[in-house]
C-alpha cells in the first residue's frame, strides 16, 4: 500500500530554547563538530532543545478535578495510532508527506491583512507536529524512535530557512505540505511548502536541519546505524529550497548599526516546554530594524542559525546590520543579483519611473542579525539570522 | 426552514483600539450616556473601535503582481453569500447560533499545556467574525446593516466578560457556539460558549456588549427603529453568563499596589485595522501582577470595560490592585463567598491539610486593573479590568 510507506517515523523539534540555563555544565560546551549537508558546521552549543513532539500523553492535573472527565484520551485527541486521515485537523498522509488544509484566521494577519511571519512560523511548527502525530510514534514521551531512546538521543534544530513569495491573506485557504529527508550523514531535514488551495501556486517554502544529541552528555551525536535503519526509509529526496552550499551568516559585534538591549522573555513567551519560543526570536530580530524600513518593506526570506538556548532569566541583545552586498552597494553591472535580492519591487520601481537609481537609493534589502545573551565574562550567541526584504506594494488603506 | 431563521445579520466588532489618536477631536469626548442592560452606563469615550467584519472584499495589492492570480474571490474564500455550512472552517449555523469546531494547536498553549487566555480571546474573535461571514452581509465593507449604513452607524464594544472553568488542553477538540441578543434598549450582546466536543461539558463562557456610534460625530447613538426592525429578529434570549446587575469596576489611581509604566504598542501588536488588539490589553494587565502569583494561580474570569481607544503612539501604564473583598480579608464566616472566589483550590487546600487558614493566607483571588494613557494634562483611561483567579493544581513537569 503506497500510502503506508509515506508515513514518517520521525519526531520534529519545535525550535525553542530552554529556560534552565542557570546551571551551566562545562560538559555541555564545545560539542562535537558534525558534518551536515556536506559542509562542516560550526561548534553547536545547545543544552536542551528538546522535542515536544512526544507529549501525547500529557498529564493535565485539572482535568479530573470535577470528576466528570476521567480519560485523558477523550480530551487530548492527539492520534497515538498511525493513521492516514485526521478530519479534525484536516490533515492527511499523501505521497509528498503530510498535508494539512488551513484557513488564515482574523488574528493571524497584520495591518496589511496578510498572514504575519509569526503566524506562518507557528503553522510550520503545528503541521510538523501533526505529521509526527499521524505516524503514531509518540508514546515514548519524546517522539524519538526506539533506536534513539536506546541510545539516549534526542533531536535538536540547528538551522531554519523560510522563503515567502506571497503572504496568504485573511480568510485564504492554504495547503501545507511537510516531509523529512536526510541531511548529510548524521542529520535530518524537514521541509515545508505552503500553497494556495485554489490555484496550487506555492506561496512559501521552508527547510530546517536537525541533529541528534545525547540527552545525558548534551553532546551532539553521530546517527547510530540502528537509528539510520529505522528512519532512512522515510526520507525523501525532494527539497523545498534548492541550496547546495548553505549561506554563511557573519557574526555581528558591538559595531552593528542597530542594537536593542535589555530584552527579557516574558511569561507569555514561554511555550508548553517552558521554553522561549522561536517566534519570539524573530520578533526580537525585527524590533532592531528601523520602523521606517518595516513600514515600506515585507520580509521575503529568513535564515536562522541556532547557537545556544536562551533562558527565561537571560537578558538578550538584538543586533542588526544592513548587508554590504545589499542593493545599496550593488553596482549597475549586477542587475541580476539586485533583482534576486530585491525581487519584484525592483521591476515595479522601474515601472513607476523611479528607474534603477531609485532602487539603488532605497534602504538595503538584506540584514544580518544576532541575538546574544549577556554573559558574566562575555556575551553568548543565541541565534544568528539573515533576513531578505522586498518593497511593499501600495495597499488600499482600511477606511474607518 | 428552521435553520434559516437562525442566521444572524449582525456584525461583530473585534475589540480593539485605533492607532490614530494624535488628532483628538473635542467632539469625540463626553459621549452620550446610554442605558444598556438595564443599568446606566458611564460615559464612554471611544473614537474608532470599528469593525473588521466587513472587510470581505479586502484589497491585497500583491495578489496579482505575478499575474497568476487574477480573482480575489479565489484567494479570499470569505463567504459573502448567506450559508449554513463552512466546511473549511468547520463551522455551521445551528439553532443556538453559529458553531465552530476547533482543535487547540501546539502554539496556542502555554507551559502548562493548556490554551492560553490570549488564544481563547483570539478564538472568540475568530468565531464571531465567521458567524457574521456566514450571514452573508459583508459586502458593505463594515458589516453594518442597511439601516445602520443609512444612519452612519457602526458598532463599538463597551464591555467584555469571560469565565473559564477549564482550559482546553493541547490537541483538544472544542466546539465554540456564538450568538447575539438584545442588551437594553440600544445595545447588543454577543455571547459565546466553549464546550468539550467529546463530553459536551462547558469549559468557558463569554459575553460582550456593543453599542452604536455615529461614524461622523463619534457620538454613541440610540438604535434607530429601522435598525431595530432589521436586527431584532435575530436576537436570542439565551445568555452564556447570568448577570442581572453587571459588576462595577472601581477606578484605580496612582496609589495602586502594582504599576508598570512606559508600555508602548509594538508593530506586531497591530491587527488588520492597524489597531492595538484586545489581547495586548490583557497581556499588559497580566504583566502588572507579580510573577509569583501567576505561577501558582490560573485566571478563571476577566471583565473588561472599554473607555477610550489607545493609539500606537500612546504610552500606557498598567495599574493593578488586589481586591479588598478577596480571600485575604474574608472572615471565617464567609465560607461560601470564599469558595466562590477561590473555586476548587479552596477545597483542595483543605484536603492537603493546609486548612482554612492556609487558604486565607494565600494571595488574594481577585485583582482590579486599569490601563491608562499618559495625557498632556492628565492620564486617560483606556480600559478597566477585573480578574478572578484560582490556585493551580500541581502539574506534572515536562522532564527534558
Amino acid at each position: 500500500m503506497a500510502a503506508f510507506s509515506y508515513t514518517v517515523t520521525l519526531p520534529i523539534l519545535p525550535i525553542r530554547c530552554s529556560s534552565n540555563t542557570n546551571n551551566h555544565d562545562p560538559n555541555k560546551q564545545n560539542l562535537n563538530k558534525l558534518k551536515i549537508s556536506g559542509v562542516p558546521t560550526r561548534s553547536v552549543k545547545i543544552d536542551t532543545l528538546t522535542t515536544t513532539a512526544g507529549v501525547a500523553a500529557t498529564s493535565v492535573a485539572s482535568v479530573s478535578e470535577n470528576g466528570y472527565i476521567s480519560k485523558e484520551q477523550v480530551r487530548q485527541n492527539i492520534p497515538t495510532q498511525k493513521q492516514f486521515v485526521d478530519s479534525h485537523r484536516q490533515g492527511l498522509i499523501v505521497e509528498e508527506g503530510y498535508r494539512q488544509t488551513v484557513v488564515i484566521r482574523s488574528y493571524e494577519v497584520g495591518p496589511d491583512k496578510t498572514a504575519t511571519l509569526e503566524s506562518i512560523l507557528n503553522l510550520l511548527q503545528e503541521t510538523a507536529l501533526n505529521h509526527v502525530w499521524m505516524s503514531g510514534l509518540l508514546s515514548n514521551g519524546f517522539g524519538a524512535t526506539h533506536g534513539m531512546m536506546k541510545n539516549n538521543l534526542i533531536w535538536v534544530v540547528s538551522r531554519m530557512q523560510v522563503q515567502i513569495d506571497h503572504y496568504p491573506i485573511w480568510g485564504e485557504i492554504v495547503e501545507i505540505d511537510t516531509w523529512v529527508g536526510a541531511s548529510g550523514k548524521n542529520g535530518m531535514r524537514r521541509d515545508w511548502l505552503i500553497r494556495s488551495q485554489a490555484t496550487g501556486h506555492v506561496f512559501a517554502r521552508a527547510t530546517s536541519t536537525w541533529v541528534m544529541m545525547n540527552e545525558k552528555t548534551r553532546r551532539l551525536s553521530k546517527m547510530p546505524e540502528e537509528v539510520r535503519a529505522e528512519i532512512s526509509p522515510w526520507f525523501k529526496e525532494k527539497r523545498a529550497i534548492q541550496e547546495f552550499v548553505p549561506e554563511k551568516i557573519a557574526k555581528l559585534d558591538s559595531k552593528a548599526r542597530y542594537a536593542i538591549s535589555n530584552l527579557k522573555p516574558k511569561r507569555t513567551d514561554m511555550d508548553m516546554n517552558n521554553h522561549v519560543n522561536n517566534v519570539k526570536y524573530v520578533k526580537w530580530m525585527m524590533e532592531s530594524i528601523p520602523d521606517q524600513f518595516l513600514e515600506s518593506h515585507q520580509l521575503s526570506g529568513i535564515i536562522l542559525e541556532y547557537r545556544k538556548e536562551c533562558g527565561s532569566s537571560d537578558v538578550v541583545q538584538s543586533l542588526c546590520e544592513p548587508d554590504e552586498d545589499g542593493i545599496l552597494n550593488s553596482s549597475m553591472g549586477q542587475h541580476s543579483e539586485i533583482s534576486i535580492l530585491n525581487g519584484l519591487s525592483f521591476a515595479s520601481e522601474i515601472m513607476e519611473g523611479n528607474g534603477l537609481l531609485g532602487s539603488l537609493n532605497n534602504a538595503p534589502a538584506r540584514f544580518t542579525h544576532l541575538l546574544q545573551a549577556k554573559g558574566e565574562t562575555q556575551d553568548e550567541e543565541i541565534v544568528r539570522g539573515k533576513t531578505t526584504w522586498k518593497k511593499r506594494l501600495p495597499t488600499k488603506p482600511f477606511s474607518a
Side-chain angles (χ1 to χ4, degrees), chain A:
Chain A
M1 193 172 141
F4 186 83
S5 69
Y6 287 100
T7 57
V8 172
T9 62
L10 287 182
I12 172 73
L13 313 193
I15 301 136
R16 55 171 58 79
C17 61
S18 163
S19 60
N20 306 315
T21 47
N22 294 334
N23 49 350
H24 271 289
D25 178 352
N27 291 330
K28 296 178 185 177
Q29 316 292 327
N30 305 318
L31 303 169
N32 322 5
K33 293 200 180 197
L34 283 179
K35 209 172 163 67
I36 300 170
S37 295
V39 292
T41 57
R42 66 285 176 282
S43 173
V44 182
K45 204 172 56 178
I46 310 172
D47 290 31
T48 49
L49 283 161
T50 53
T51 178
T52 58
V55 203
T58 304
S59 171
V60 178
S62 64
V63 174
S64 57
E65 61 191 14
N66 270 353
Y68 59 79
I69 298 169
S70 55
K71 292 201 176 178
E72 192 149 291
Q73 295 89 314
V74 176
R75 295 191 62 193
Q76 185 82 10
N77 281 305
I78 293 175
T80 52
Q81 299 296 313
K82 195 179 286 190
Q83 58 186 71
F84 302 112
V85 179
D86 181 340
S87 63
H88 292 299
R89 292 175 187 79
Q90 305 196 42
L92 68 162
I93 298 294
V94 293
E95 190 162 318
E96 293 82 2
Y98 171 74
R99 175 170 299 164
Q100 186 171 334
T101 304
V102 173
V103 183
I104 304 302
R105 295 175 178 169
S106 54
Y107 56 86
E108 294 175 330
V109 301
D112 65 355
K113 299 181 192 71
T114 68
T116 61
L117 176 63
E118 293 80 6
S119 302
I120 289 174
L121 293 175
N122 281 334
L123 289 173
L124 298 185
Q125 174 187 303
E126 174 69 9
T127 49
L129 277 166
N130 292 348
H131 184 195
V132 184
W133 288 357
M134 296 283 275
S135 75
L137 287 184
L138 292 189
S139 58
N140 61 14
F142 286 98
T145 65
H146 297 292
M148 287 175 72
M149 287 187 72
K150 202 167 140 189
N151 290 278
N152 294 314
L153 296 176
I154 57 173
W155 290 109
V156 295
V157 64
S158 62
R159 189 171 183 277
M160 175 104 185
Q161 179 176 10
V162 185
Q163 287 177 357
I164 305 173
D165 294 333
H166 294 274
Y167 283 81
I169 62 177
W170 179 36
E172 186 149 22
I173 301 169
V174 296
E175 282 178 354
I176 305 179
D177 281 3
T178 183
W179 65 92
V180 291
S183 175
K185 263 188 76 178
N186 295 296
M188 180 179 83
R189 256 190 317 111
R190 177 174 280 280
D191 285 11
W192 294 264
L193 279 183
I194 302 182
R195 258 195 295 256
S196 156
Q197 198 216 34
T199 68
H201 208 92
V202 175
F203 286 171
R205 305 163 182 279
T207 187
S208 57
T209 310
W210 304 81
V211 289
M212 286 187 193
M213 174 185 275
N214 187 299
E215 201 185 347
K216 295 188 174 164
T217 66
R218 316 311 293 182
R219 286 178 179 274
L220 295 193
S221 164
K222 291 188 175 180
M223 190 185 290
E225 277 311 316
E226 66 178 307
V227 176
R228 191 186 316 282
E230 277 180 318
I231 64 178
S232 58
W234 316 114
F235 285 170
K236 294 178 192 305
E237 288 295 324
K238 185 185 174 188
R239 285 168 183 266
I241 297 175
Q242 294 298 334
E243 190 190 40
F244 298 101
V245 181
E247 183 176 354
K248 282 183 188 165
I249 304 178
K251 187 188 172 186
L252 298 182
D253 57 27
S254 56
K255 296 193 293 290
R257 192 177 313 174
Y258 306 109
I260 299 186
S261 298
N262 212 29
L263 297 165
K264 292 169 188 169
K266 289 178 181 163
R267 280 181 58 83
T268 48
D269 302 324
M270 302 291 152
D271 64 14
M272 67 179 112
N273 279 351
N274 213 15
H275 297 148
V276 173
N277 67 56
N278 194 38
V279 165
K280 189 65 184 181
Y281 284 166
V282 174
K283 281 189 177 177
W284 279 336
M285 286 184 183
M286 301 303 149
E287 282 178 31
S288 66
I289 298 179
D291 269 354
Q292 202 186 355
F293 182 87
L294 293 174
E295 275 155 24
S296 57
H297 289 76
Q298 190 168 46
L299 182 139
S300 58
I302 185 166
I303 305 174
L304 299 166
E305 267 184 23
Y306 299 91
R307 298 304 175 115
K308 88 158 198 79
E309 59 189 355
C310 90
S312 63
S313 58
D314 275 338
V315 179
V316 177
Q317 187 180 38
S318 176
L319 300 172
C320 168
E321 177 79 29
D323 267 24
E324 288 290 321
D325 61 356
I327 195 161
L328 257 187
N329 298 292
S330 296
S331 77
M332 300 291 277
Q334 290 174 311
H335 277 201
S336 61
E337 211 174 310
I338 296 170
S339 178
I340 290 165
L341 293 177
N342 213 24
L344 293 156
S345 60
F346 184 72
S348 68
E349 283 273 336
I350 293 172
M351 287 170 67
E352 285 163 14
N354 294 334
L356 185 56
L357 284 171
S359 283
L360 292 177
N361 289 331
N362 280 334
R366 303 191 90 199
F367 290 92
T368 301
H369 301 265
L370 175 66
L371 296 183
Q372 58 185 9
K374 209 176 176 63
E376 279 177 24
T377 52
Q378 59 180 27
D379 294 335
E380 296 187 291
E381 287 189 83
I382 297 169
V383 58
R384 295 187 190 183
K386 181 80 97 178
T387 54
T388 309
W389 302 79
K390 62 182 180 185
K391 273 197 83 171
R392 281 182 197 277
L393 295 177
T395 55
K396 199 166 102 182
F398 182 81
S399 53

